Amino acid sequence: MSAVTVQTTVEPLNFFEQVVAATPGESHLEACIQCGTCGGSCPSGADMDHTPRAIFALIKADMKEAVLHSNTPWYCVSCYYCTVRCPQDIHITDIMYTLKRIATQEGMVKNTPREKAKAPNFSQAFITWVENYGRSFELGLMGVHMLRHNPFGAFKIADMGVGLVAKGRMAFTPTRIKEFDSLAAILAKAKELEGSE
Amino acid sequence: MAEETRIGVYICHCGTNIAGVVDVGEVSRWAGELPNVILSRDYKFMCSSPGQELIAKDIKAQGLNRVVVASCSPHLHESTFRGACVSGGLNPYLFEMANIREQDSWVTTDKLEATKKAKALVAAAVYRVSYQKPLESLFVPMDPSVLVVGGGVAGVQAALEIANSRRHVYLVEREPSLGGHMAQLDKTFPTLDCSACILTPKMTDVGKHKHVTLFTWSEVESVSGYVGNFTVTIRKRARYIHEELCTGCGICWEKCPKKVLDDVFETGLGYRKAVYTPFPQAVPNIPVIDRPNCTYFIKGTCQACKKFCPTGAIKFDQQDELLTVKVGSIILATGYEVFDARRIPQYGYGRLANVFTSMEFERLTNAAGPTGGKVVLRDGVTTPKSVGIIHCVGSRDVNYNNYCSAICCMQSLKFAHLVQEKLGAQVYEFYIDIRTPAKAYDEFYQRVLKEGAQLIRGRVAEVTNEACLPGEDGKLIIQVEDTLIGKQRRIPVDMVILSVGLQARADAKEVAIKFGISCSVDEWFIEKHPKLDPVATMTDGVFVAGACQGPKDIPSSVAQGSAAAARVMSLIGQGEIEIEAATAVVDDGTCVGCKECIPTCPYQAISFIEYVRKAYINEALCKGCGTCVGACLSKSINLKHFTDDQLVAEMVGAMQTMKLFEAS
Amino acid sequence: MKYHYYPGCSLEYNAAAYHVSTLAIAGALGLELLEIDDWNCCGATEYISLNLAAAYALIARNLAKAAQNKATRQVVAPCSACYLNLRKCDQSMRESPKLDKKINTALAAGGLAYQAGSLAVRHLLDVVVNDVGYAAIAAKVTRPLKGLRIAPYYGCMIVRPDFEKSREVGSGKWRVGSGEWEAVQSGASTSSARLDKSAAGQSGAAGQNTASTSLGRLDKCEYPMTLDILLKNLGAEVVEYPMKAHCCGGHMTQISEKTGFEMIRRLIKGAVEYEADLIVTLCPMCQLNLDGFQGAMNRHFKTKYSMPVLYFTQMIGLALGMNASDLGIGSELVSSRAALAKIGVEAPAAEKPAAAKKASKEALPMPKMPDPTPALPIAKTSDREGGYPTPALPIAKTGDREGGVSPARSAAPEIAKSKE
């Protein structure tokens, strides 16, 4: 196994190229005909800053800030309707994941207002439990997330939480997998390789 | 000792097509130094008249006995330059062409490399041409009769043009009547004249034309032969009606007790009887008995039609007939079928009652249709107050048909007009792009806009009856992104029309094989040249017209029908057909009579002569494809103009040149 | 038939009922489930939003652990998100050698390795309908779910993204009459055709042949039928549920309540309008959203819906005559008691009196059933040996044009006019 070189700076990629390069497989993003099938199909499209179609136009116009500051990728619920309906076979859901990664990895989410940071923070909170235990932990996740973003809203769904606990559907402590050290080593290595060629 | 070889080489600039990439002057200079080359020139357009004259003049003045032109593809201009050689007094087979455009300048960006490749290609041609021999073409008489397959508007037009010039036409149609899809339509865009009114006179003319033999309810079974001399077998399916005795009085279908859903002409919206003509103006006006649905054929009883027929024309014992006709040329006008909207479940066709296809709507709005021209919902009574028309259903989509169906924009705009005119209903059109690129088409678009149609730019995501918002109950809701405002919209309507695209007929591939032509990936028939020979095919004597070649509206289909007829008439006018001289010949001395070659021939040109036990190749049938040459175990078959020494010389020329470049 | 079993985090607690019912029916259906040793979280849709290599490495560790046990090459996941993640990881590694190398480098740091394509990842529903088969299940039914109106709910990640789509369709090849279209149309998937063929010989070896190649599509991505047919084979009345493959919202309740609750509302409203007694699902996330958040959604919109949501494994268990309590029934927040009473099952009393009372007050209108017989004699069920006939989509070109309009809606009569 040869040494892995981490690419630092070559010629700065334009945003379109960056998105395509960071999306596994053939994204077909270049083929967008702006028909709006994605935007029409999206179950959370009504509440997005820009529809996915508009996001693709912004990407092609190299308007990186506008794309990465929009809530659009974070409102994607991964239902893949856009992907299967797209007449150009663009892997839209995968591109949304790419945009989320770029936004996170380039620190874009840190500067966003509290409300917009909700989704990235949720992902981060979810993953923190996984990275520390190997399994997810719903109670902890919801606790952290609720306290951070919606301390009063917690009451709204409190009876649900109580219900889940009463039915034995919520654990009070997280479970840690046996070979946690091995997993930690794998994840550390993977993070080191992220972004490398 | 043969005469001295004197070669002339001509390098074409093709404007900047070649000269922009290849250093033509250098290639010309270099070619002048090749063995036996007497002169070498470069010229701006070799295919122009002065260019051709240059060749003819040089042949005479310089005593050239071989000519090489390096230019475009032989598909385009081989016959042009062969003609130039002939006018200079040289046998056309002493000419060779090097393709330095399609195979070089168009596909190479590096100028140095392109020039090197041009040199190699020219050298190959120069080496080869020395070995070429004069060949004489064969002429066979041209049968002036014509077969037209398909009785839609394109086929009818072609048949009429040819028959009017007193040549005989055999017109074969699969359905019981001529007319095709056009007979089903209500109005035609952009002029809104009644489809039937302009079509039926043409159908009647063909039906009673003394130079047309009509085979309806028939299909072509097989085809053999070659341009000028085709033999065609036609299966005339049993109608169970005696065609001479039948007067078309209609008593049989009046009396027939069996109602059958008509899913062909009425697209499943109306009924016909088990004995029927598809529509009142059918040509010929002779019904057919639909055997699988006829009570007599199912149960052995009934015979109502037979009892009441005043001329005794009902013949239950009729059989299919196989008829053979001889023709010199063939026109295929087999048309299209519409995209099956059930393949897009999110549009709800087949599930949601009030989702219709464009063809269904044509029948609904047609005064002769199942509702007498009343546009109503599936319940048969309710008039819709709002209608959504969805463009590009099954078209421009890699999941279905990845092409634009060409007619749907105009068709949808026509629907918008009709709906507004007839019902005063609100119309919404959902489009990706509006495509109206023909005479008076865009004006029609503007007219529909002025009439108040709402055009929403966005491909519809789904049609649902699932009401989510107030005002949606009991409606069909069209969910779409209005891409011009970048917002999702839900638009409740009473009726949805899916403007379904066109696609090749399900059996297009089989038909293509039957007639020896080829299909594109989308199974449309492929024309010889998309621009310069749009109705001919790569098989001589077989032409295409109308939507079997690609999506097309009525004006284009009619134009192609006429064009195909003109091409056929020009062939007939020549009286005889020149057959390619580059054919295969069997060396009687070495042929062992193993018959290996016979099944390999795609043109059935090889026969076996029993009494000498040798293979024989009919030169008139041979297309010079060379398959038999490879199959021959005793190396007894030679393909004229593609002999071993010619091919070896060509390779030596190319490879020696490349070696030279490697060395330097 | 042996399978590596990947329960996923949800099935540990929140969807324990799914886990319990899966294990309960596995024996009866002849499925031997070998839980992957020391499995870890699949990362859901969250990890891949932050770090691609880490997300895939996390998933691949499960595959690597499974592959160590050579007893079988089939992996089964009951959770749709887990299923998609495992399958997508395997597929991406196969398609991109670069990614494969990266992931295996990471795995090596933990002393593991995974050869992409060496395992076949499948959803539990796929295994149940294609490996066990409709007919075999129908033959085992002792308590048909007769009179129970069920809205089958697939959600997203079992039917989408359709990996086979771009390869199979394209440019008009996929047309009516080709057989393939009809097969998918009628709910018989391409993968079932393939698996049936190999299962005819040696069912145990079925997976061996297919593990290295891409699996076919389980069902259509827009209007799937697999679960409908399964439930019909259990004797239930399956309602046409147009929302059946729509999205439950995933984690959206945590991101935007407004957006998340609206998605839940539409699904519940749809099922209520089609007069379903309950929704049956196959994904813990869908169940949590539709069941767990139903109360919060009701409060948000001031609605009073009470639609129970159970797992398909629980329905199979009931039809096979098992006790409700052995199938984890009763742990749903919206009680299924009233619904299950229709098939003579006494569900454990709901421990959440508030919700239960509400539910009984707002009980759904029950459609009148002609024959309230709780169970059919076993002999009768064997009549349908070939399973129920696959309910083809009502096709517009036939005389019967009533379409899929539910009994709750007025059926549209056909245009009944002949040519003048």
Side-chain angles (χ1 to χ4, degrees), chain C residues 77-91:
Chain C
C79 166
S80 297
C82 297
Y83 155 73
L84 179 60
N85 267 339
L86 292 172
R87 183 159 170 189
K88 207 169 168 180
C89 173
D90 179 66
Q91 176 123 350

Side-chain angles (χ1 to χ4, degrees), chain C residues 101-129:
Chain C
K101 199 170 158 190
K102 226 185 244 187
I103 302 308
N104 268 306
T105 309
L107 287 177
L112 291 168
Y114 175 64
Q115 191 197 341
S118 61
L119 294 174
V121 179
R122 301 174 63 193
H123 192 279
L124 182 62
L125 179 70
D126 181 8
V127 167
V128 166
V129 303

Side-chain angles (χ1 to χ4, degrees), chain B residues 393-412:
Chain B
V393 176
S395 308
R396 301 184 66 193
D397 189 331
V398 292
N399 305 307
Y400 307 105
N401 291 320
N402 195 14
Y403 51 78
C404 169
S405 286
I407 60 128
C408 330
C409 280
M410 281 303 287
Q411 167 186 270
S412 306

